[in-house]
Amino acid sequence: MNKDKITVKEVIICEGKYDKIKLSSVLDADIVTLDGFGIFKSDEKKALIRHAAEKRGIIVITDSDSAGEVLRSHIKSIVGDKGVTHLYTPVIAGKERRKKEGSKEGILGVEGIDADVLREMFLKFSTRQPNPAPISRADLYADGFIGVEGATKKREQLLKRLGLPLKMTTPALICAMSFIIDREAYKKICEELE
């Protein structure tokens, strides 16, 4: 095992072969590709993902664009929420070196994210301690990010600050925050956004 690689017991689910190559450079893990939208037609791959979620758990990491969200939603339709963790790459403008043109939304995909950033994302995941006071839907409401006048704009500011996709759902935001921010840092951001 390469000492720079992070060992992850869960099965990693990513979009395609170039994402897998990039993730393999930083992870010692089993990695399954969705073959992009090919997952919609592959009963075999769906069964593999179901089995992986049930037996070992899966970590889904797709590009932080609308296509990535479609794939995340499809995975949810396959396995539900049990045994599934979603990791979100930061939203960074640019294009991958191998491509002539950038993505439709002009942001880097998993393959374009710096290896150190990916390593840190998985290191946090693999070594995290249970959060004694996770950020909840009630916190988001109380702090004006959902369900109140002006929430949309304030929520966008929070998502930008965290480097997360602007169209992220509330459950996905709560899940992502459990890995990337603690309560103290969250409260500090809330104060700064007042």
Side-chain angles (χ1 to χ4, degrees):
M1 181 184 93
N2 181 332
K3 67 178 181 173
D4 293 330
K5 289 189 178 186
I6 298 187
T7 302
V8 178
K9 72 174 181 63
E10 293 87 353
V11 176
I12 310 302
I13 308 295
C14 64
E15 288 185 40
K17 70 178 181 179
Y18 292 104
D19 294 341
K20 181 176 182 175
I21 291 167
K22 182 63 169 264
L23 291 168
S24 295
S25 73
V26 299
L27 299 176
D28 179 19
D30 292 320
I31 303 172
V32 174
T33 64
L34 298 172
D35 303 323
F37 291 124
I39 185 63
F40 288 93
K41 298 177 183 175
S42 176
D43 291 336
E44 183 178 304
K45 198 153 279 196
K46 289 176 190 176
L48 174 65
I49 292 170
R50 261 189 230 94
H51 179 75
E54 181 183 314
K55 299 294 183 188
R56 290 176 44 197
I58 61 174
I59 298 173
V60 179
I61 182 165
T62 63
D63 297 351
S64 290
D65 58 9
S66 54
E69 287 306 310
V70 169
L71 291 170
R72 287 178 191 276
S73 178
H74 189 65
I75 289 170
K76 183 174 183 169
S77 75
I78 295 168
V79 298
D81 293 322
K82 189 174 181 186
V84 181
T85 300
H86 292 275
L87 287 184
Y88 294 86
T89 57
V91 177
I92 300 171
K95 74 171 191 66
E96 284 76 18
R97 285 185 213 154
R98 71 177 178 86
K99 296 181 179 176
K100 289 183 181 179
E101 294 182 15
S103 71
K104 189 176 181 181
E105 295 173 34
I107 60 174
L108 291 176
V110 172
E111 72 174 278
I113 300 297
D114 183 77
D116 289 335
V117 172
L118 290 171
R119 193 175 285 110
E120 183 159 328
M121 287 173 65
F122 281 94
L123 183 64
K124 286 179 184 179
F125 172 76
S126 65
T127 61
R128 78 183 190 280
Q129 298 298 315
N131 188 344
I135 299 155
S136 68
R137 181 179 286 273
D139 292 315
L140 293 176
Y141 176 78
D143 295 321
F145 295 112
I146 59 172
V148 297
E149 190 174 332
T152 301
K153 186 174 181 182
K154 191 171 180 182
R155 180 186 170 112
E156 283 181 3
Q157 291 174 325
L158 173 66
L159 289 164
K160 282 180 186 176
R161 200 66 175 276
L162 297 173
L164 295 170
L166 296 181
K167 295 179 182 178
M168 186 174 270
T169 65
T170 299
L173 173 59
I174 291 168
C175 178
M177 286 193 302
S178 72
F179 298 107
I180 64 173
I181 192 170
D182 61 20
R183 181 166 286 280
E184 184 178 329
Y186 168 75
K187 283 299 180 188
K188 184 175 181 184
I189 291 173
C190 289
E191 289 169 11
E192 291 169 1
L193 293 179
E194 285 301 317

